[in-house]
Amino acid sequence: MKNKTTLQEIANSTSGWLMGNGPEADVVFSCRIRLARNLKGFVFPPYAQPFVLKQTAEKILNSVRKSNYFRNARVINISELSPVEREFFLEKHLISLEFIKSEDYRFLVVEKREIISLMINEEDHFRLQSIFSGLQLQEAWQLINAVDDELERNLDYAFSPKWGYLTACPTNTGTGMRASCMLHLPGLVATQRINGVLRGISQLGLVARGLYGEGTTPQGDFFQISNQVTLGIKEEEIVDNVGKISRQAVEEEKKAREILFRKNKTELKDNIGRAYGLLANAYLISFEEAMDLLSKVRLGFSLNLLPKVKNIRVLNELLFLIAPAQIQIKEGKELSSFSRNELRAKIIREKLRE
Amino acid sequence: MLCQICGKREATFHFKEVINGEVRELHLCEVCAKEKGWDKPFFMPGFPLSNLIASLTDIEIPFPAEEVETVRCPICGLSYEDIKKRGKIGCSSCYQVFEKYLTPLLERIQGKTYHSGKIPQKGKVKNGLSKQIYELRKELKEVIKKEEYERAAEIRDEIHRLEKDEK
Ligand SMILES: [Zn+2]
Ligand SMILES: [Zn+2]
């Protein structure tokens, strides 16, 4: 990228939604809503010629520049980014896996706090996203709805009264909306109740996803609940459903944490204390190990077992800071896996001492 | 357990997906997970794109194959055959041109075929017709609930008439 400092600035600032100040933030890591929108009369990006992508990008950027919500926004041309730089934005939840491989006339627009962002010419002409800390889907919806209204003033959306917002993929047609909550469920995993709970709370039109099981590459017990259906349902209903089910998962997770605490208090304390000890004192640490240990420490913090950790924000920030591309962008160069492990350990030691 | 993609290496990434109470699992080795970009699931919550699009190719279309290949959208130039292959629709006018194929498809993917959510601000002001159709559809839902089938039939006719006008 031409402007390395922009990236480093982004790497050094904390996303607004990582503050951990939302309700139920010790279980609900983040919640987000994205809206898929297309412009009337323009071929959708999967089939569009470069000159069409150029036109749609200009139209959308023009509308973005007139929007108050994007006054402090950065516009990033994806095609100018190196693979590590693209990975960096992927890790920050700002671009998608598809977007990472994209070519000319693809842009990321992101306002300073990273609460609101926009991918231009991904699968749809644009995708608007809002992320909040904790369980705040209502708030995320109110904000993104207002931003959508403002952007629409200067754009003609592809919309039909029958099918709603028209999207490149029929799985998004209608509201074009995906609402999701990222849940941290170490209690349900440890008590082996995760399967039953996910099955029990899952309901028509919703989906829960995660990594699990014995011998799994540790990734920290994170699960995502989101809506599957986008047509024939109101946005508010989607927000309501995903929110309700997430709240149920939160309650189940809290119960599981209590059970863990009551049944195996000493074991649990030992486990969490060791995890903290490793993190606070290691000099070489892989991403997977760090993720796994941070998940335990996060659990320990919510059970008040780690007086040394002041707030959840430190742990949330760390979960991101340890990712491979974050480390390399912060450092300003590509690094070997050994150097990354070394730097990662240093970042964690320093952050835990803050 | 072996990786479900390569069938050679030991699977260390075990994905779980619960949709409508049904648990689906996907087991991948590290190499294949990396290749798919699913090796850091925390950072890409969209994974693993449950292959809904498979249903695009699976769905039986009760229309002559010839038509599926020759009828093309005037804006993007695609045939329904092209759309099926890629799993993506070409442009907003495809939705009109291929309405008879897309209606059963959307019904299968989404369970519904009518939008009931937000409408663009501009649509509300500028496009009075769309607004009218939208309102009628809401009314239709209500009268069906109340089992007023005669009134429902009337509303349905009115919607069809307006939809024709709109085209
Ligand atoms: Zn494999
Ligand atoms: Zn078309």
Side-chain angles (χ1 to χ4, degrees), chain A residues 47 145 155 195 202 209, chain B residues 16-17 21 47 88 118 122:
Chain A
Y47 302 100
N145 190 19
L155 295 169
N195 261 0
S202 118
R209 302 197 164 105
Chain B
K16 178 198 302 293
E17 191 171 65
F47 83 95
K88 305 281 187 239
K118 183 174 178 177
K122 252 186 221 152

Side-chain angles (χ1 to χ4, degrees), chain A residues 26 184 186 257 261 265-281 290-316 318 348 351-354:
Chain A
D26 60 335
H184 185 216
R257 288 180 186 187
F261 189 69
K265 192 170 177 183
T266 312
E267 252 180 299
L268 184 72
K269 278 165 87 174
D270 180 64
N271 204 332
I272 286 165
R274 280 167 189 272
Y276 183 84
L278 276 172
L279 286 172
N281 297 292
M291 222 28 210
D292 186 39
L293 297 173
L294 272 170
S295 169
K296 288 179 179 151
V297 168
R298 222 173 166 275
L299 171 66
F301 173 79
S302 86
L303 291 170
N304 295 317
L305 296 176
L306 288 169
K308 274 188 189 152
V309 181
K310 265 172 280 154
N311 53 44
I312 202 140
R313 176 181 161 178
V314 173
L315 304 177
N316 286 353
L318 269 177
I348 298 172
K351 195 92 197 160
L352 286 180
R353 240 179 274 133
E354 259 178 27

Side-chain angles (χ1 to χ4, degrees), chain A residues 32 37-38 47 55 94 116 153 156 177 183 191 195 226 228 234 257 288 317 346 349:
Chain A
R32 78 160 148 189
R37 298 288 184 254
N38 286 285
Y47 302 100
Q55 283 177 332
L94 290 173
I116 289 275
R153 270 193 233 155
D156 276 317
M177 181 202 245
L183 305 167
T191 53
N195 261 0
S226 63
Q228 186 84 347
K234 283 190 179 30
R257 288 180 186 187
E288 285 80 12
E317 283 178 333
K346 183 167 172 261
R349 286 196 316 272

Side-chain angles (χ1 to χ4, degrees), chain A residues 155-171:
Chain A
L155 295 169
D156 276 317
Y157 284 169
F159 180 87
S160 108
K162 179 179 181 186
W163 280 330
Y165 294 91
L166 305 175
T167 54
C169 188
T171 53

Side-chain angles (χ1 to χ4, degrees), chain A residues 27-179:
Chain A
V27 180
V28 185
F29 189 83
S30 64
C31 64
R32 78 160 148 189
I33 294 185
R34 76 115 166 91
L35 298 176
R37 298 288 184 254
N38 286 285
L39 306 188
K40 199 187 265 172
F42 290 90
V43 177
F44 296 157
Y47 302 100
Q49 302 279 337
F51 79 92
V52 176
L53 296 174
K54 185 168 183 255
Q55 283 177 332
T56 52
E58 275 167 7
K59 275 182 182 293
I60 296 159
L61 284 172
N62 177 48
S63 181
V64 163
R65 289 197 184 99
K66 288 180 182 155
S67 164
N68 280 320
Y69 294 102
F70 290 99
R71 248 188 325 214
N72 293 316
R74 293 184 168 101
V75 177
I76 290 146
N77 185 343
I78 299 296
S79 63
E80 288 176 359
L81 301 181
S82 72
V84 178
E85 290 168 338
R86 292 175 189 216
E87 191 86 15
F88 169 78
F89 287 111
L90 184 83
E91 288 173 356
K92 279 196 144 254
H93 290 192
L94 290 173
I95 66 172
S96 64
L97 210 46
E98 262 131 74
F99 215 48
I100 205 170
K101 296 174 204 130
S102 62
E103 288 157 34
D104 278 352
Y105 306 116
R106 265 73 175 195
F107 298 90
L108 163 69
V109 182
V110 54
E111 52 90 23
K112 273 236 163 85
R113 297 166 310 151
E114 296 170 26
I115 301 277
I116 289 275
S117 61
L118 193 76
M119 275 189 286
I120 299 177
N121 288 331
E122 200 235 28
E123 179 181 295
D124 294 299
H125 288 138
F126 74 90
R127 285 185 168 192
L128 185 59
Q129 162 175 290
S130 72
I131 316 187
F132 276 67
S133 159
L135 196 50
Q136 301 193 76
L137 275 176
Q138 298 283 358
E139 288 78 358
W141 162 240
Q142 274 166 17
L143 177 61
I144 203 169
N145 190 19
V147 179
D148 181 46
D149 285 347
E150 200 175 70
L151 289 177
E152 191 227 319
R153 270 193 233 155
N154 300 296
L155 295 169
D156 276 317
Y157 284 169
F159 180 87
S160 108
K162 179 179 181 186
W163 280 330
Y165 294 91
L166 305 175
T167 54
C169 188
T171 53
N172 295 314
T173 308
T175 56
M177 181 202 245
R178 196 78 62 214

Side-chain angles (χ1 to χ4, degrees), chain A residues 219-235:
Chain A
Q219 295 270 354
D221 305 327
F222 287 96
F223 291 81
Q224 190 210 40
I225 291 178
S226 63
N227 66 302
Q228 186 84 347
V229 169
T230 55
L231 183 65
I233 181 165
K234 283 190 179 30
E235 287 82 357

